[in-house]
Amino acid sequence: MNQVQNFTKGLIKENPVLVLVLGTCPTLATSSNVTNALGMGVAATVVLLCSNIVISALRKVIPDKVRIPCFIVLIAGFVTMVQLLVKAFAPALDASLGIYLPLIVVNCIILGRAEMFAQKNKVIDSAIDGLGMGAGFTLALVAMATIREVFGNGTFMGLPIPVLSENHISILTMAPGGFFVFGLLIAVVNRFFKNKPKKKDLGCAGCPQAEICGGACAEGEVNND
């Protein structure tokens, strides 16, 4: 896998939300509007990038028996740094995201990439993987948030949209609407982007006994005895 494939796999093919179905809780909770979705996506991407780099750099130092606690401590440190930065420079976003910002510590995507990729690969590869997965997470959040905010609230990033602002579907901004849009996007990804299994050749070329019968089965020359 080259560096481009390493990055792009997280966008669609191995999208952490729509394909791997990780981080469902923050996805549903913070995708009611685009501003929150962007904030959560960027924060998670920063933590994912930093944690992947550090864990990859220390992969030969961290004992295997205590790797998970070590990963969590490192991730928690980066989450704390991001949370303090958000509190200082974007207090409104911090108040809007609430508990879901510190809960990035236990986000399955971040711990999963640390366990499955960062501890087994070099720093550069791990950094690119973190960026790709973070971008895929942000892309899924923004896609969900756009649908839910535009059609559920009649706005985009807080700005009213003519006609839709007076004829919006309020349930889309609620929990049932979140699950509906989530399932809809997963169905779209599975239908148009996920690799489909190849059809098996049912002729002689696809038969494991073709060399033995010499094609006689296809001609109806083999008895059932």
Side-chain angles (χ1 to χ4, degrees), residues 106-126:
V106 291
N107 192 311
C108 301
I109 300 170
I110 297 172
L111 188 58
R113 298 320 294 175
E115 174 72 10
M116 298 301 297
F117 196 93
Q119 71 155 344
K120 302 174 183 176
N121 293 274
K122 297 180 180 179
V123 173
I124 299 299
D125 293 334
S126 299

Side-chain angles (χ1 to χ4, degrees), residues 76-200:
F78 289 118
V79 170
T80 301
M81 293 169 58
V82 169
Q83 187 178 10
L84 291 175
L85 288 172
V86 173
K87 281 181 179 291
F89 297 102
L93 179 62
D94 177 70
S96 183
L97 293 177
I99 190 63
Y100 293 101
L101 189 58
L103 281 178
I104 293 176
V105 174
V106 291
N107 192 311
C108 301
I109 300 170
I110 297 172
L111 188 58
R113 298 320 294 175
E115 174 72 10
M116 298 301 297
F117 196 93
Q119 71 155 344
K120 302 174 183 176
N121 293 274
K122 297 180 180 179
V123 173
I124 299 299
D125 293 334
S126 299
I128 294 174
D129 175 79
L131 282 174
M133 287 294 169
F137 179 58
T138 305
L139 180 65
L141 278 176
V142 171
M144 282 189 62
T146 300
I147 296 173
R148 295 180 68 187
E149 184 179 358
V150 169
F151 295 101
N153 203 34
T155 62
F156 182 78
M157 298 189 75
L159 301 175
I161 300 174
V163 180
L164 289 177
S165 60
E166 299 176 357
N167 301 278
H168 53 83
I169 309 171
S170 300
I171 195 172
L172 289 178
T173 61
M174 305 175 187
F179 279 103
F180 173 77
V181 175
F182 186 44
L184 181 65
L185 289 178
I186 290 177
V188 170
V189 169
N190 284 335
R191 176 64 179 83
F192 294 103
F193 298 104
K194 200 169 182 180
N195 293 332
K196 298 180 180 179
K198 297 181 180 179
K199 294 183 178 180
K200 294 183 179 180

